[in-house]
Amino acid sequence: MAAETRPAAPPPKLPPLREVIAAHGLQASKALGQNFLLDEQLLDRIAAIPGPLKEQPAFEVGPGPGGLTRAILRAGAKLVAVERDHRCLPALAELDQAFPGQLRVISGDAMEVDARAEAGESAHIIANLPYNVGTALLIGWLSAEWSPLPWWSSLTLMFQMEVAERIVAQPGGDHYGRLAVLSQWRSDARIAMKVHRSAFTPPPKVMSAVVHITPKPAPEGVQLKHLERLTAAAFGQRRKMLRQSLKGLPGALDALGAVGIDPQRRAETVSVEEFVEVARVLGGL
């Protein structure tokens, strides 16, 4: 006789986020780069971007009053959230009680927390990032050790639209630069969702977008340090020809020649794959 399968317990009924914010006297802090999202359907859509999260490790930065947090928990993840705003901790403690065993809140600065040690291997990082530290956190995660993949499974991150466009940019446009190369040389990056400024409280001055990044094995024979030096020099003087912008980087012009790239081109025309090829040669010189 087949074992009886019990239906999954329904998610706990939670008060509207506006009530939580009012009850705890919370206001978004400009100094902390906070903008709260209150639309629960939108938050559930963001939490669905990484794919099924049931029993999966997840990591969130800057949960604030817990809007995205509750969406991630509803999806069934085992979540570690880092919050530096002490005012928000009581609201997050209520979520800990509503989802027993699923949430652990760290009171601290995400720039100083070892996300890998706290969240564990293969964690999905999902966050409405504070605008003032978002890019720095992203670069830290993209610069992680790859062997053959990084410790995280995916990045699902809210950015200002301009930053999102820089992450996914293709050669030939003004948005294309170092951040695009760093995001794409061993990862796939896409804009998964655009979010209107009116969805936030208070509304920011600019539009936002959710970027989804999934890692892939790094190209063989290429070290991040060589790619970083190469793109720093190339895009540091992006309007100049490569023969000018790269002349101060030892071996760079020889590497260009070895790959067959015309030194009269500008950095913004060089594809991610071409930068990878030049960095591979540069590392072998």
Side-chain angles (χ1 to χ4, degrees):
M1 185 175 181
E4 183 180 350
T5 302
R6 294 183 179 181
K13 186 171 178 59
L14 300 170
L17 283 162
R18 290 190 184 278
E19 291 184 12
V20 173
I21 289 172
H24 293 281
L26 297 176
Q27 289 184 327
S29 167
K30 187 174 182 180
L32 296 178
Q34 292 174 332
N35 296 92
F36 299 151
L37 273 174
L38 306 182
D39 184 332
E40 302 236 15
Q41 289 186 336
L42 174 61
L43 291 164
D44 284 336
R45 286 170 57 202
I46 295 172
I49 290 171
L53 289 177
K54 189 171 179 59
E55 301 297 326
Q56 294 293 306
F59 184 76
E60 183 185 10
V61 172
L68 182 56
T69 311
R70 57 171 68 184
I72 298 169
L73 294 171
R74 275 195 294 262
K78 300 284 189 178
L79 177 63
V80 175
V82 180
E83 179 56 67
R84 64 176 294 190
D85 187 351
H86 294 281
R87 302 173 306 153
C88 297
L89 298 181
L92 296 172
E94 293 173 359
L95 287 180
D96 184 19
Q97 294 175 350
F99 294 88
Q102 278 187 249
L103 175 63
R104 182 164 62 89
V105 178
I106 298 173
S107 176
D109 186 339
M111 295 293 292
E112 300 173 359
V113 169
D114 185 337
R116 180 177 190 170
E118 298 292 352
E121 299 296 315
S122 301
H124 296 276
I125 302 177
I126 311 168
N128 173 18
L129 290 175
Y131 285 157
N132 51 3
V133 296
T135 304
L137 287 168
L138 172 65
I139 290 173
W141 295 324
L142 290 173
S143 301
E145 177 186 357
W146 245 253
S147 58
L149 295 172
W151 64 270
W152 46 268
S153 288
S154 70
L155 307 175
T156 304
L157 307 172
M158 181 86 73
F159 291 100
Q160 293 178 346
M161 180 62 76
E162 181 183 356
V163 177
E165 289 174 336
R166 287 169 52 206
I167 293 168
V168 305
Q170 297 299 303
D174 288 340
H175 292 295
Y176 183 67
R178 294 183 67 194
L179 190 57
V181 177
L182 182 60
S183 300
Q184 297 175 41
W185 78 283
R186 53 185 181 180
S187 304
D188 291 317
R190 66 182 179 92
I191 292 181
M193 182 190 304
K194 296 180 181 179
V195 183
H196 196 274
R197 54 186 298 274
S198 62
F200 295 89
T201 300
K205 295 180 180 179
V206 296
M207 297 284 283
S208 299
V210 179
V211 174
H212 184 57
I213 299 175
T214 51
K216 56 189 178 184
E220 293 185 4
V222 183
Q223 294 185 40
L224 175 62
K225 64 180 181 180
H226 296 304
L227 191 63
E228 286 183 324
R229 289 168 57 208
L230 177 64
T231 54
F235 288 106
Q237 304 178 71
R238 62 182 298 137
R239 297 305 177 192
K240 292 187 176 181
M241 295 180 184
L242 292 172
R243 68 185 183 191
Q244 282 296 115
S245 60
L246 295 181
K247 67 180 182 180
L249 180 60
L253 295 179
D254 290 336
L256 277 186
V259 175
I261 293 177
D262 186 346
Q264 296 191 76
R265 289 170 62 183
R266 292 178 171 80
E268 63 199 37
T269 72
V270 179
S271 70
V272 173
E273 292 75 21
E274 287 175 318
F275 273 119
V276 165
E277 287 301 314
V278 176
R280 179 182 285 118
V281 175
L282 191 61
L285 293 178

